[in-house]
Amino acid sequence: MSVALQPAAEIPLRCGAHAVTLRASLRAAVALEALPGGIASLWDGVARQTLTALHAVIRAAATDKADAESLLTHAAHLPLVQFLGPAQAACLALLSVVLDTAQGEASASTGPRIPLRQFLTDLFSLATSWLHWPPSEVWNASLAEIAAALDAQSDRELRLAGITPETRADKAEQRQANIAAGLDPDFDLAAFEALQARLGV
């Protein structure tokens, strides 16, 4: 995982005298992905300005549920044009933050692709078990905050094991060179040549 540290995005949404803050937390991401069709379907619905999708995102990501309900109740009595534009912009901004982080992690990963739902589950599991964060903190953290903490913990564990980032980069280069030469990717040519020299072969 390789994400720059940044606090969870908090997107304000105002409608008349009512305001709500949408937070791109793990809780919001999981809740949105759990809806029928997941975040992909919500993105489409928000892009088309469907009230169902807009309401779902606002309710799932609002830091204060009562404020969200007050805003939505107030918006129901207004002409749609006064609500749809600002709500769409806020919801798309929130979904973008979630998807950008997940996409960044997918791009950096060398493992098999996994569904977004599994990625979110893995983040929660790693943050609670490996980082020892309490669940309440994990639910309120952004995906980027969790990923940055996992990166730091991973680097720490590797350093404790005597593996430096340079060593990992060297191994990756060696692996690619082995593949290009038609050798076993895990074959350590430099170590083999050193052994041959030591044995005088």
Side-chain angles (χ1 to χ4, degrees), residues 64-145:
D64 185 311
K65 303 304 180 196
D67 286 349
E69 291 306 323
S70 293
L71 182 138
L72 293 174
T73 301
H74 174 73
H77 297 94
L78 296 175
L80 282 177
V81 71
Q82 292 180 18
F83 172 72
L84 290 179
Q88 180 188 43
C91 291
L92 287 176
L94 180 109
L95 293 174
S96 291
V97 169
V98 171
L99 292 174
D100 286 349
T101 303
Q103 182 60 40
E105 290 303 310
S107 299
S109 174
T110 58
R113 300 279 182 179
I114 60 172
L116 180 58
R117 185 172 295 189
Q118 183 62 48
F119 170 70
L120 298 173
T121 301
D122 290 350
L123 275 184
F124 181 83
S125 297
L126 288 169
T128 53
S129 64
W130 199 33
L131 297 176
H132 305 288
W133 288 5
S136 60
E137 294 296 322
V138 176
W139 283 123
N140 289 316
S142 71
L143 279 62
E145 289 169 329

Side-chain angles (χ1 to χ4, degrees), residues 191-201:
F192 179 69
E193 289 172 346
L195 177 63
Q196 282 182 323
R198 206 170 61 222
L199 296 174
V201 179

